[in-house]
Amino acid sequence: MTTSIIKKCLFPAAGYGTRFLPATKAMPKEMLPILNKPLIQYGVEEALAAGMTEIAFVTGRGKRAIEDHFDINYEIENEIRGTAQESALEGIREIIDKCRFSYTRQLKIEGLGQAVLSGETLIGNEPFGVVLADDLCVNGDEPGVLTQMLEVYKTYKCSVVAVEEVKKEDVSKYGILAGTPNKDGLIVVDDMVEKPSPDAAPSNLGIIGRYILTPDIFELLKNIKAGLGGEIQLTDALREQAKRGQVLGYRFKGKRFDCGNVNGFVMATNYLFDHT
Ligand code: G1P
């Protein structure tokens, strides 16, 4: 871990997880395990590896298990001290030792943009990472996606979104961006649409759940109108940011699994079972 010029990472985690009912009826979807580790811990590990040690969660009702996970559990720790099971808690213990955690609640579920805006109180006036824990990203022993994006940010000092090519029939599941490649192979965004129909999509470059955002995004989010589904969409605020300044799309290295649906979740489970 290195000390990063971006210290804070925001984790929107207020969503209901309806695609995973009944598992998510009483349990946060972020706590669903891939092997023996909850999804959200993979995301926090990726942030920590990028040197982002101030972890900010936007949670909601029914999400208290997340807070308990990133806290000490004296009873369990006392019970397993000196036994073979003790090593199972080493990873989470390291995270707890190295990071600081803060929480706020999103009162109404009104889109990713609204979730990010709810996090303003925890982030303040500095650039920050955003991780959507549903998107599980792995890159073997090579740098994770947030670390890769941080390198881009260091050079360009503007918002950066991770993208990958998606199938034409899948564009309506993603924010889609279009733009012109620059000399470093980054995409200088000139258009962005939240979940377009295949015919209306400006490209097949889908945004995945990793962002580095400059703090002017908050003012943009406060001023944009509700978009798709009557919700405040982060994609719309980013399009506005691209118009006024610069937003870059970054084709990340590594693999990404959409663990927000059962199919992607099973693929991630099988992949990590074979590769860890
Ligand atoms: C959100 C964003 C979308 C992005 C996606 C990545 O959608 O609104 O632009 O492509 O995350 O996972 P969601 O999947 O939360 O509906």
Side-chain angles (χ1 to χ4, degrees):
M1 191 194 76
T2 51
T3 309
S4 172
I5 52 165
I6 297 185
K7 296 184 193 64
K8 294 187 179 173
C9 191
L10 187 71
F11 287 76
Y16 297 127
T18 45
R19 283 181 291 177
F20 258 99
L21 285 169
T24 48
K25 185 164 174 252
M27 183 177 77
K29 63 172 175 167
E30 294 78 10
M31 292 302 295
L32 291 169
I34 301 285
L35 307 184
N36 55 356
K37 203 193 290 182
L39 263 177
I40 194 135
Q41 188 177 331
Y42 288 92
V44 172
E45 285 172 357
E46 191 185 321
L48 177 58
M52 300 177 193
T53 53
E54 296 184 32
I55 306 296
F57 292 103
V58 176
T59 68
R61 292 178 288 282
K63 299 281 186 166
R64 279 174 54 186
I66 297 175
E67 292 178 48
D68 289 339
H69 187 70
F70 293 100
D71 198 351
I72 293 162
N73 183 326
Y74 285 107
E75 195 176 341
I76 291 181
E77 287 177 34
N78 195 41
E79 284 295 322
I80 68 173
R81 186 162 301 125
T83 73
Q85 284 106 16
E86 200 172 9
S87 63
L89 287 182
E90 278 169 7
I92 183 67
R93 193 63 210 226
E94 186 188 346
I95 292 174
I96 293 169
D97 288 345
K98 289 185 174 164
C99 296
R100 289 197 301 162
F101 303 94
S102 60
Y103 299 86
T104 190
R105 281 191 176 205
Q106 185 181 354
L107 299 182
K108 284 188 191 164
I109 306 302
E110 287 175 335
L112 179 58
Q114 185 60 43
V116 171
L117 190 51
S118 306
E120 182 182 17
T121 182
L122 306 177
I123 299 293
N125 189 27
E126 54 187 286
F128 60 104
V130 176
V131 169
L132 308 184
D134 282 0
D135 278 331
L136 175 57
C137 295
V138 292
N139 194 22
D141 293 332
E142 299 298 311
V145 179
L146 270 186
T147 305
Q148 297 166 36
M149 294 170 75
L150 192 61
E151 288 306 310
V152 176
Y153 176 79
K154 280 182 193 162
T155 307
Y156 289 93
K157 303 280 186 326
C158 67
S159 291
V160 184
V161 299
V163 294
E164 72 178 357
E165 283 174 22
V166 299
K167 289 189 207 132
K168 191 168 185 212
E169 64 264 30
D170 286 338
V171 291
S172 58
K173 296 181 186 159
Y174 298 90
I176 299 292
L177 64 75
T180 322
N182 74 3
K183 63 175 175 35
D184 293 326
L186 300 157
I187 299 135
V188 182
V189 173
D190 52 39
D191 196 12
M192 246 190 212
V193 191
E194 178 68 4
K195 305 196 175 105
S197 67
D199 294 338
S203 81
N204 68 338
L205 285 176
I207 302 170
I208 65 137
R210 297 292 182 279
Y211 307 77
I212 287 182
L213 301 176
T214 53
D216 53 313
I217 199 74
F218 294 125
E219 280 313 305
L220 295 168
L221 283 167
K222 283 172 203 163
N223 290 311
I224 57 167
K225 294 198 191 87
L228 186 76
E231 297 187 329
I232 302 295
Q233 298 295 348
L234 180 60
T235 303
D236 294 340
L238 282 164
R239 183 178 52 241
E240 195 54 37
Q241 203 178 38
K243 267 195 223 158
R244 295 180 187 197
Q246 178 166 263
V247 173
L248 293 170
Y250 170 70
R251 289 175 208 257
F252 65 95
K253 299 183 188 74
K255 266 184 168 303
R256 166 253 174 196
F257 299 95
D258 177 6
C259 296
N261 67 66
V262 175
N263 191 37
F265 190 89
V266 171
M267 278 163 52
T269 302
N270 289 336
Y271 182 86
L272 286 177
F273 186 71
D274 289 340
H275 292 87
T276 41

